[in-house]
Amino acid sequence: MEAIILVGGLGTRLRPLTHTVPKPLLPLANVPMVERMVRNLPEVFDTAILAVNYGLDEMKIYFEGRDIGKKIIIVPEEKPLGTGGAMRNCIDHVTGTTAVFNGDVVTSADLNKMLEQHIRTKAKGTLALWEVEDPSRFGVVELKNGQILQFQEKPERGTELSNLINAGTYLLEPEVLEMIPPNQKISIERDIYPQVAGNGLYGFPFEGYFIDSGTPESYLEANFKSIGNNGTAAHSGASIRGPSLIHESAVLQDCIIGPNAIIGPNVKMEKCVIRRTVILSDVKGYGSVIEDCVIGPAISFEKDLSRTLVSPKGSIPF
Ligand code: GTP
């Protein structure tokens, strides 16, 4: 079975980081987002199809000769086709029921259970759904006996049909992919799903967590969530204060790390305090307090920083 991962977006909300590293290759707890997603696929999915526009060369280089336990097919788009157009562009590689993911979501949705439900209900499409407190910034669905009857965009408070939003994880039959016109910019959420609503489109509400890691705050949160139980307990040269992850190749001297600090490969730091921060590879730091930042790759800092994205192409506070 195939899983399509949508990894072609520009990642504008994470600029300037994404000027140097395309969003899908930005790490979550030291593993690129897209690799993490492929590794987390249930066993029945033996092939991951990566729908790529922006960042194609970097993606090819990253996956060249790398064995991550699944067949990887990279499908390029000459121009961005949107979420729907990008899926349609992958249709030649699809052999049946297909999973589709927004490449930047981190969720606890159980894909095996979702697949069981999809088969049991004979759905054309099943969308993972996440409950939010205030749906007025999102699109919600009306769900009845498990079926999605309609979509409602950004409902005013009090008028919402539900609190369930689309969590960017789908199971689709080929007939839904075939509904998407080829070689056109199409949004699956806005242009196609409303056409299938009430006619075999099902919802799969789940609990646990759902993070769309596309903003600086949510990218940090997704990183902290991804530390899971794999945090570093002790490291020479650092006092560790709370859940944190330090890459084995990092060299630290006289540092206080955590809570929620992630230190990437080949990082060298001396006399630094790092909290709620992601440090990408090959960064050098000296004598600084760093809080709520993403820094790197391959730059040096010697001053305190807070709530800033720092990349080789410049810095932006958030
Ligand atoms: P922003 O520019 O910050 O909004 O990020 P983005 O470009 O990633 O857009 P968004 O977060 O809305 O996209 C959701 C998912 O769909 C992400 O995984 C994107 O990589 C992917 N995506 C969005 N547009 C396209 C596209 O035109 N082609 C492909 N292949 N993927 C896309």
Side-chain angles (χ1 to χ4, degrees):
M1 277 176 95
E2 295 83 26
I4 298 174
I5 307 183
L6 300 173
V7 283
L10 291 173
T12 49
R13 291 164 298 162
L14 285 175
R15 285 177 181 165
L17 297 175
T18 46
H19 283 313
T20 320
V21 185
K23 182 164 70 172
L25 292 178
L26 281 174
L28 292 176
N30 286 341
V31 179
M33 260 185 224
V34 58
E35 177 178 342
R36 191 169 273 279
M37 197 164 249
V38 173
R39 287 187 185 277
N40 285 342
L41 285 173
E43 225 172 300
V44 290
F45 295 93
D46 56 0
T47 303
I49 304 170
L50 310 183
V52 188
N53 173 248
Y54 181 72
L56 177 63
D57 291 345
E58 290 91 334
M59 203 77 71
K60 280 185 179 161
I61 291 168
Y62 186 79
F63 283 103
E64 181 83 57
R66 193 177 292 261
D67 180 9
I68 53 174
K70 309 270 181 195
K71 183 175 174 195
I72 304 281
I73 301 173
I74 294 180
V75 178
E77 284 157 56
E78 272 173 32
K79 54 181 173 53
L81 292 173
T83 49
M87 292 177 198
R88 181 65 164 83
N89 200 38
C90 297
I91 205 163
D92 290 347
H93 302 283
V94 163
T95 57
T97 307
T98 303
V100 183
F101 302 91
N102 281 359
D104 50 4
V105 296
V106 176
T107 82
S108 56
D110 182 334
L111 207 62
N112 282 318
K113 281 201 182 132
M114 189 167 158
L115 186 58
E116 265 171 44
Q117 177 188 307
H118 181 81
I119 293 167
R120 180 168 31 84
T121 57
K122 299 189 175 63
K124 289 181 188 165
T126 304
L127 279 54
L129 300 175
W130 176 249
E131 190 170 334
V132 294
E133 216 164 274
D134 174 13
S136 60
R137 288 185 300 123
F138 302 96
V140 296
V141 302
E142 182 186 2
L143 196 66
K144 195 168 174 200
N145 301 327
Q147 278 224 54
I148 295 175
L149 296 184
Q150 61 172 314
F151 292 82
Q152 185 187 30
E153 265 310 303
K154 301 194 172 121
E156 274 182 37
R157 256 186 190 257
T159 67
E160 62 267 21
L161 296 171
S162 79
N163 284 33
L164 295 168
I165 66 165
N166 172 354
T169 301
Y170 320 121
L171 288 167
L172 301 176
E173 291 306 303
E175 64 182 289
V176 175
L177 297 177
E178 280 156 13
M179 287 172 68
I180 307 169
N183 303 316
Q184 285 182 42
K185 188 161 188 175
I186 302 282
S187 157
I188 191 80
E189 300 89 341
R190 285 193 300 274
D191 302 326
I192 305 297
Y193 288 153
Q195 291 182 45
V196 196
N199 185 21
L201 194 65
Y202 283 76
F204 178 78
F206 66 97
E207 288 177 356
Y209 56 87
F210 164 69
I211 307 165
D212 164 355
S213 52
T215 67
E217 287 93 344
S218 65
Y219 175 64
L220 284 172
E221 192 193 345
N223 265 279
F224 307 153
K225 194 85 202 169
S226 302
I227 296 175
N229 297 323
N230 301 320
T232 306
H235 193 277
S236 65
S239 162
I240 299 177
R241 312 272 166 89
S244 293
L245 185 68
I246 303 173
H247 194 272
E248 60 193 15
S249 60
V251 179
L252 308 180
Q253 227 182 310
D254 240 348
C255 291
I256 298 176
I257 299 295
N260 289 328
I262 296 174
I263 313 294
N266 305 315
V267 169
K268 290 194 172 58
M269 281 194 303
E270 194 179 339
K271 294 186 171 45
C272 290
V273 177
I274 313 285
R275 300 188 190 108
R276 302 181 304 276
T277 284
V278 174
I279 307 275
L280 306 181
S281 63
D282 302 288
V283 169
K284 291 190 174 64
Y286 182 84
S288 311
V289 177
I290 309 289
E291 293 176 325
D292 305 289
C293 291
V294 185
I295 299 183
I299 53 169
S300 301
F301 60 82
E302 283 198 19
K303 62 173 188 188
D304 296 351
L305 287 163
S306 155
R307 289 184 67 84
T308 308
L309 301 180
V310 186
S311 89
K313 300 276 169 74
S315 304
I316 293 186
F318 62 91

